Amino acid sequence: MNDHELYPIGDAARRSGLSVSAVRFYADAKIIEPTDLNEFGHRRYDIDAIARLELVRTLRELDTDLEEIRRLLDGGTTLHDLLTTHLEIVESQERVLRARRAVLRTLIKQGDATARADLMHKLVSMTDEERERIIDDFWNDVGAGLDVPDGFVERLRTVRPVLPAEPTAAQLEAWIELADLVQDPEFREAVRTYLHETYSTDEGRNVASAPFQDFIHTNGAALSEEVLAAYHAGESPRSPRAQDAVTRFMEASAALSDTPLTPELRNRMADGYRRLPDIMRLIAEEDAAAEGPVYDDTHGRYLSLVAMVNGTVSEEAQDQDQALYAWIADAMCVPAPGA
């Protein structure tokens, strides 16, 4: 063998990123033996052996067991299979650390006693089935004997959290808060009271009725998409396209309650949209002042946390929504073409 192709142990260590003692250890353990010994019995390594030493260093940095490395180098497993196994281990550890981080952040934010840490860790470690049971138990209790139109509570029940397989810390924190809330008897009673006071009146029952709900989720949804399309296209709220879309949406909404779409009704509807950003801001301020959700924002808080868990809201999206409400309000204040 050509001497120029062999490197002393010091060079092999430097090239592989290992210490000399580590190279000796792997040789003595018969994991990476030297390519050759010179006349003085000094170990020498060729490029292939040095590459194998570098691989061993990388695997050890990933906490790979020495026996696993030995099996790989002896041909008992493939590098792909070994790395795949370790990726699964690292991802599992990442999920555990993410859950712990969410628990710690929530404890710090809420100032809770450490005794709650165990409860919170159980919340983030729940299976999908366990999370489903918590939400079902909440709606079973809230909806029992509630004086609202048939099927309305079942519609509300369909809006539920679905924690993704790889949740962010923010999603885990939202789930901890939501799970804590829905198991709180005071919160459950507050939601029952809110739903009763909002949807047991004549106007509320009309909104909660099957025809109105069907409209919201079918024809109304299609009309809403037309309004959104005009808004996202940069149309002025006073443009013919915007006016046509908004007017047809308002006419369809008014028809559900046999209410003619008068200028007065247009103005009332516009005022409602115009006030939405302020209402949302006031709710946020009340939450912040209370260092947590206030019970007056009952079902709204549930919906907000579900959206956070499901990853369907962001601060940017909320800002866009507020701009949209103002745009719709302006469009509603303009008399319909030909009116």
Side-chain angles (χ1 to χ4, degrees):
M1 183 173 291
N2 190 327
D3 286 348
H4 293 296
E5 295 178 344
L6 298 175
Y7 300 87
I9 190 169
D11 285 351
R14 179 176 54 80
R15 288 171 176 268
S16 64
L18 291 167
S19 65
V20 171
S21 60
V23 176
R24 287 199 186 102
F25 170 79
Y26 293 130
D28 294 340
K30 298 189 181 304
I31 293 176
I32 304 290
E33 297 189 61
T35 307
D36 189 17
L37 299 176
N38 66 14
E39 64 270 24
F40 302 106
H42 296 157
R43 297 162 176 166
R44 298 189 299 177
Y45 294 81
D46 63 11
I47 290 297
D48 181 61
I50 292 173
R52 287 155 65 89
L53 284 169
E54 188 174 5
L55 172 62
V56 170
R57 176 183 61 81
T58 301
L59 293 175
R60 288 298 288 160
E61 288 175 352
L62 293 171
D63 292 329
T64 307
D65 183 83
L66 282 176
E67 287 306 312
E68 289 183 294
I69 294 175
R70 192 191 305 277
R71 282 198 301 273
L72 170 66
L73 297 176
D74 290 343
T77 185
T78 66
L79 180 60
H80 178 271
D81 289 344
L82 183 61
L83 294 179
T84 299
T85 299
H86 278 271
L87 177 60
E88 292 173 356
I89 293 172
V90 170
E91 289 177 340
S92 175
Q93 292 172 337
E94 182 185 17
R95 285 192 292 272
V96 171
L97 290 173
R98 193 182 296 122
R100 289 177 182 171
R101 180 174 61 178
V103 170
L104 290 171
R105 282 183 173 175
T106 305
L107 286 171
I108 292 170
K109 185 188 304 180
Q110 297 182 356
D112 286 341
T114 54
R116 284 180 52 80
D118 183 56
L119 169 62
M120 290 186 180
H121 192 266
K122 288 179 180 177
L123 291 178
V124 298
S125 303
M126 283 180 171
T127 64
D128 291 342
E129 291 75 15
E130 289 170 330
R131 285 192 289 270
E132 290 288 317
R133 280 198 295 272
I134 284 182
I135 300 301
D136 282 335
D137 184 59
F138 167 72
W139 284 115
N140 289 342
D141 187 22
V142 168
L146 193 63
D147 183 24
V148 293
D150 291 341
F152 184 57
V153 173
E154 290 307 310
R155 285 187 182 272
L156 297 179
R157 185 194 293 267
T158 61
V159 181
R160 55 202 301 122
V162 180
L163 200 64
E166 300 292 339
T168 64
Q171 287 174 310
L172 285 170
E173 289 171 34
W175 164 248
I176 289 174
E177 181 180 341
L178 178 62
D180 213 17
L181 271 182
V182 297
Q183 295 179 91
D184 183 346
E186 185 179 350
F187 181 75
R188 291 186 177 195
E189 185 56 35
V191 174
R192 278 182 57 83
T193 300
Y194 163 77
L195 293 177
H196 171 75
E197 292 178 351
T198 304
Y199 296 106
S200 63
T201 63
D202 289 342
E203 183 177 349
R205 295 183 75 84
N206 179 56
V207 171
S209 66
F212 196 98
Q213 290 293 310
D214 288 341
F215 166 76
I216 291 175
H217 296 285
T218 55
N219 187 39
L223 291 171
S224 296
E225 287 298 323
E226 292 185 31
V227 173
L228 286 172
Y231 170 73
H232 289 304
E235 294 282 349
S236 163
R238 297 173 181 269
S239 70
R241 178 185 176 185
Q243 284 297 297
D244 179 65
V246 169
T247 298
R248 286 192 293 113
F249 177 81
M250 288 193 295
E251 286 175 343
S253 301
L256 289 170
S257 56
D258 296 324
T259 304
L261 185 59
T262 62
E264 291 76 20
L265 178 59
R266 290 178 71 101
N267 288 334
R268 285 203 306 273
M269 294 176 73
D271 185 59
Y273 270 92
R274 190 175 291 108
R275 291 174 56 233
L276 271 174
D278 288 334
I279 292 171
M280 293 167 64
R281 178 180 54 78
L282 287 172
I283 288 173
E285 289 175 355
E286 290 174 359
D287 282 359
E291 296 184 350
V294 292
Y295 283 135
D296 287 344
D297 183 28
T298 52
H299 188 234
R301 187 58 187 171
Y302 173 89
L303 294 175
S304 176
L305 288 170
V306 168
M308 292 179 197
V309 172
N310 294 346
T312 56
V313 294
S314 66
E315 291 185 9
E316 181 181 358
Q318 291 173 353
D319 291 342
Q320 291 175 351
D321 286 346
Q322 293 188 10
L324 171 62
Y325 298 147
W327 183 90
I328 293 175
D330 287 346
M332 286 178 171
C333 285
V334 180

